[in-house]
Amino acid sequence: MTATDARAAARAVIAALDPVWIEPAIVQPAALYLELLGEDVRRRALMVQDDDGAELCLRPDMTVPALRAALAAKPRPAIVAYDGPVFRKQAAGSLREAEFIQIGAEWLGQDWAPGAGPEPEIVARALEGCRAVGVEPALKLGDAALVRAFVQACGIAEPWQGRVVRAAASADPATRLAALAQTSAPQADALARAAAAMDEDHARGLIDDVLSLAGVTAVGGRAVEDIVARVRARAAQSREAAPSAEALRLLAALVAIDAPLAEGVAEMERLLDHPALVARGEAQRAAGAVVAQLAALGARVDLPAQTHFAPALARNVGYYDGLVFELEHKPLGERASLGGGGRYDALARRIGGDAAVCGAGFVLRPERLAQAAGRGA
């Protein structure tokens, strides 16, 4: 089995969906990635500048540029597909690839009713792409909305919620959440208090003046907006109490779940009795939605024997806001991920400027599929 064979097999699975095939430009505006994923993008993406100093990047994934193209099309296609290279920085000594092929598909719709989205079809097609080359992957399922619902149900003040969600979705959530437990509300300095008291235009003017006096030049057209947002958030956090240790322990228990499907769901449901849940009904509704979603998956999809539930599953991009899944072949070690996907309504709405648009999709990595097919179980 060669990478070319695996690529052809994956394309055939996706072609059966009758999608619109698109070829997004390799060089993309960096601003959207920075807005979605923060400054961490600079560590992972290959950044360049155009002649005017605007920041660009070699596309670190295909989903974002594919959505940009699909949402700009008239009429808007229901499914788009793509097949091409993406580029990511890797740490020295890493076995992960700096350039590799992603092949995948993205579904777009309007106001998908709860439980009526295409997630079961997406997981089924992704599994079909693996099985077409003789690979039976391990499947891991998570849900970004569930984690956010638990954070809100703990009564954590809004200025802190983003920090807590990011900690829960990090590569080392236990450590990050434990660190937050030792964090007190930051003291807002005079600049933060002044910016928080102004509207955004005046706050931007203030930061512009400060940068000018300091002799600092913003690059790429985003630095000032980032600084304004951060100093205003710092001021807001200074007015609110930090999350309680009890709430952070509950969230640490939630994100620690990584167990066979039925066992993992049972662990989640036991946490619904935790005393840190001050809005228990909100957490119960989110958990019920997850259980219904998993039941729909089980009814539609021939799930692998190795299917785990890990509520805080975080793929290497941070824009999912519903079901998230990862396909793995564990014998490949650091290169175990064969692909994955999930639901990302907020991303689709931000790109398309449409408050009702919904989106979900998946990607596969044919080189790793070929390696997995050659490695066996």
Side-chain angles (χ1 to χ4, degrees):
M1 170 67 65
T2 67
T4 300
D5 295 332
R7 192 173 180 176
R11 280 189 69 100
V13 168
I14 292 173
L17 300 168
D18 193 26
V20 173
W21 289 87
I22 58 176
E23 296 183 16
I26 287 178
V27 179
Q28 292 286 318
L32 183 57
Y33 288 105
L34 288 163
E35 289 170 11
L36 292 168
L37 305 176
E39 293 300 315
D40 186 54
V41 167
R42 300 184 194 279
R43 182 179 59 83
R44 300 185 335 193
L46 297 172
M47 309 290 290
V48 296
Q49 289 183 15
D50 66 13
D51 292 340
D52 296 323
E55 286 188 299
L56 307 171
C57 64
L58 302 186
R59 61 191 183 205
D61 80 339
M62 290 288 273
T63 297
V64 170
L67 283 178
R68 286 165 60 89
L71 290 167
K74 304 294 184 187
R76 186 170 70 203
I79 305 176
V80 296
Y82 45 79
D83 177 358
V86 299
F87 308 85
R88 294 179 190 163
K89 287 181 186 176
Q90 302 296 350
S94 173
L95 297 177
R96 297 189 177 103
E97 306 87 342
E99 177 182 347
F100 54 92
I101 298 296
Q102 279 190 345
I103 180 167
E106 312 295 336
W107 279 248
L108 293 168
Q110 291 286 122
D111 282 329
W112 287 330
E119 291 94 328
E121 177 72 7
I122 289 168
V123 176
R125 296 294 181 166
L127 284 168
E128 185 181 350
C130 295
R131 290 164 174 163
V133 299
V135 173
E136 181 67 3
L139 172 64
K140 189 171 288 190
L141 298 163
D143 196 290
L146 176 72
V147 175
R148 290 189 179 93
F150 265 74
V151 169
Q152 292 167 355
C154 285
I156 294 172
E158 187 170 345
W160 286 93
Q161 288 181 14
R163 291 185 67 183
V164 174
V165 168
R166 287 191 295 273
S170 69
D172 188 4
T175 299
R176 292 278 299 276
L177 288 168
L180 280 179
Q182 306 301 317
T183 302
S184 59
Q187 295 301 307
D189 54 30
L191 178 63
R193 291 195 299 271
M198 299 175 178
D199 61 35
E200 289 195 22
D201 286 342
H202 285 89
R204 179 190 169 94
L206 172 64
I207 298 301
D208 271 330
D209 289 343
V210 172
L211 292 177
S212 178
L213 289 170
V216 177
T217 301
V219 176
R222 291 197 72 260
V224 174
E225 287 82 354
D226 283 343
I227 295 169
V228 170
R230 290 180 183 185
V231 297
R232 288 163 67 93
R234 184 178 181 86
Q237 285 184 21
S238 73
R239 296 191 295 267
E240 299 287 351
S244 71
E246 189 172 44
L248 291 171
R249 283 194 292 270
L250 164 61
L251 295 170
L254 178 69
V255 302
I257 296 172
D258 186 348
L261 188 56
E263 180 183 330
V265 169
E267 289 184 32
M268 172 196 69
E269 291 177 330
R270 282 194 290 272
L271 292 178
L272 293 172
D273 293 326
H274 198 284
L277 292 173
V278 298
R280 196 175 313 279
E282 188 170 344
Q284 290 172 332
R285 284 189 292 274
V290 168
V291 171
Q293 176 85 272
L294 295 176
L297 276 176
R300 166 68 179 84
V301 183
D302 181 13
L303 296 175
Q306 293 187 56
T307 296
H308 272 219
F309 180 56
L313 171 64
R315 304 200 67 242
N316 51 23
V317 286
Y319 45 66
Y320 296 105
D321 51 21
L323 175 78
V324 187
F325 71 95
E326 190 84 31
L327 302 166
E328 297 179 324
H329 188 69
K330 298 297 179 61
L332 294 181
E334 191 176 348
R335 301 188 306 276
S337 176
L338 307 177
R343 179 81 172 258
Y344 47 74
D345 291 351
L347 173 67
R349 289 165 186 172
R350 180 176 296 188
I351 293 175
D354 180 346
V357 70
C358 302
F362 75 93
V363 297
L364 294 172
R365 298 180 59 161
E367 296 97 334
R368 290 189 181 177
L369 284 172
Q371 292 168 5
R375 184 69 66 93

